[in-house]
Amino acid sequence: MKRNHHYFAVFIFLLLIPYLCSLTIIGLGYNALVNHSASPWRSLIGAFVGAMLMMAIKATIQRPLDLIAINIQDSLFKQIIRFFSIRRRPVYQAANFALDFCLCLLATWLVRSVLPLTAIVNTATGWVLLVMFISTCLGAFVEYDNLSIDR
């Protein structure tokens, strides 16, 4: 059970926090770059582009996802991790894309609702990138042995 806690921490720092930061960066970028960003049509297009970007980002984390999933005993946690894999059946890939689309749409709306335009354009992206960098470093440090290629 203690080993599952280790993998849960790795999942949080290496995958979940950077995932949420990526969604936030998509929302920030969309709202900073698009005039009339509150338009429903433009928001749908922004969410579609954001979901495509999230699929590309997920392609880079397939190996860590596979390594974590192999070592997990808890089947629910394993299924949650495997859901984020884009190497699965087309039905799961479509569900994954649909989830990313909805979350990107939510992220663009939340960023627009919570932050003023000056914060979106000026400093918010830097802070989110800092959080993502620190989280990724912590996750990689905790899981260095399994993610290392020099065993």
Side-chain angles (χ1 to χ4, degrees):
M1 187 67 171
K2 183 175 168 113
R3 193 73 179 149
N4 275 345
H5 290 291
H6 171 79
Y7 290 116
F8 187 71
V10 170
F11 174 74
I12 295 290
F13 288 115
L14 192 60
L15 303 168
L16 185 63
I17 291 173
Y19 181 79
L20 295 174
C21 288
S22 296
L23 287 169
T24 306
I25 289 171
I26 287 169
L28 288 167
Y30 170 78
N31 286 296
L33 296 173
V34 176
N35 282 334
H36 309 292
S37 60
S39 160
W41 174 248
R42 290 181 184 187
S43 292
L44 290 172
I45 297 299
F48 179 78
V49 171
M52 297 291 283
L53 290 170
M54 291 302 290
M55 291 299 277
I57 290 169
K58 287 178 183 176
T60 65
I61 63 166
Q62 291 308 294
R63 178 151 169 78
L65 277 177
D66 293 342
L67 290 172
I68 292 172
I70 287 170
N71 294 305
I72 300 245
Q73 303 303 320
D74 181 14
S75 63
L76 176 64
F77 187 36
K78 182 179 268 192
Q79 290 306 313
I80 290 170
I81 288 175
R82 291 187 66 221
F83 179 77
F84 287 97
S85 176
I86 60 171
R87 290 190 220 166
R88 299 195 61 198
R89 289 183 283 175
V91 137
Y92 290 116
Q93 289 176 348
N96 211 324
F97 185 82
L99 175 67
D100 286 340
F101 177 83
C102 293
L103 290 175
C104 286
L105 192 60
L106 180 65
T108 60
W109 178 79
L110 278 174
V111 165
R112 184 173 50 248
S113 299
V114 172
L115 296 175
L117 186 58
T118 56
I120 291 171
V121 173
N122 291 333
T123 61
T125 302
W127 285 108
V128 174
L129 286 173
L130 179 66
V131 168
M132 183 186 285
F133 178 74
I134 291 170
S135 175
T136 305
C137 287
L138 287 172
F141 175 75
V142 170
E143 192 58 9
Y144 179 78
D145 292 336
N146 278 339
L147 298 177
S148 176
I149 58 173
D150 55 308
R151 292 183 187 212

